[in-house]
Amino acid sequence: MAGSERFKIVVGVDGSDQSRAAMDWAIEESRLRGGEVLALTAWSFPYISDALGTAWDYEIFEKDAQAILEAELARVREEGGNVTGRVVEGNPASALVDASKDADLVAVGSRGHGGFTGMLLGSVSHQTIHLAHCPVLVFREPRTAD
């Protein structure tokens, strides 16, 4: 963090439990540091279509992303803090890496897939930690008792 700039945390928001944990942590950390949080939700068009050539309602993808972001901002509104949100079109990892250029920290969730693969990072968190321009904190699902 340089000079008198505020400590900025970018949080990837996708509606998952892990992204909510990242947001909760980021708000608390930004309060402790007198900083700010940017909640970032990314959306993109699907790469495939069905065999029948059904036309997609492309507006729905952006609307869904906006709804996810608005729900998360509403969830944390009572917690206070300096939180803003942004919806961007594009690959989530690329959007987070781009936002990391102006951030002090990026916080993301990693969904995992349970079992052995649950020990691995998700593709978005994996790409973000390798390409971000600042430190990245990854939030995983808590372990369950066996």
Side-chain angles (χ1 to χ4, degrees):
M1 189 166 89
S4 62
E5 294 178 17
R6 298 184 82 170
F7 191 84
K8 183 176 180 180
I9 303 172
V10 173
V11 180
V13 173
D14 65 4
S16 68
D17 289 343
Q18 294 84 355
S19 75
R20 284 189 287 275
M23 176 65 91
D24 292 343
W25 180 88
I27 289 172
E28 181 62 27
E29 188 68 17
S30 72
R31 253 189 268 152
L32 293 171
R33 294 176 179 259
E36 60 188 47
V37 174
L38 171 63
L40 185 67
T41 302
W43 67 276
S44 60
F45 295 115
Y47 292 110
I48 59 170
S49 63
D50 65 17
L52 300 175
T54 303
W56 290 94
D57 177 5
Y58 288 112
E59 289 181 6
I60 198 72
F61 297 106
E62 184 176 11
K63 288 178 182 176
D64 284 349
Q66 188 67 44
I68 289 168
L69 178 62
E70 288 175 7
E72 183 64 2
L73 293 175
R75 184 184 74 83
V76 299
R77 188 170 290 126
E78 303 277 324
E79 296 180 35
N82 184 2
V83 182
T84 58
R86 184 184 325 153
V87 173
V88 297
E89 179 184 353
N91 173 284
S94 296
L96 289 165
V97 169
D98 188 52
S100 76
K101 293 174 185 174
D102 299 321
D104 296 290
L105 182 75
V106 173
V108 295
S110 178
R111 292 190 201 191
H113 298 287
F116 176 74
T117 56
M119 294 186 290
L120 303 175
L121 292 174
S123 61
V124 171
S125 57
H126 187 265
Q127 290 175 47
T128 304
I129 62 171
H130 288 288
L131 300 173
H133 301 272
C134 64
V136 178
L137 182 58
V138 178
F139 286 81
R140 296 190 44 90
E141 210 168 311
R143 290 187 179 192
T144 57
D146 292 331

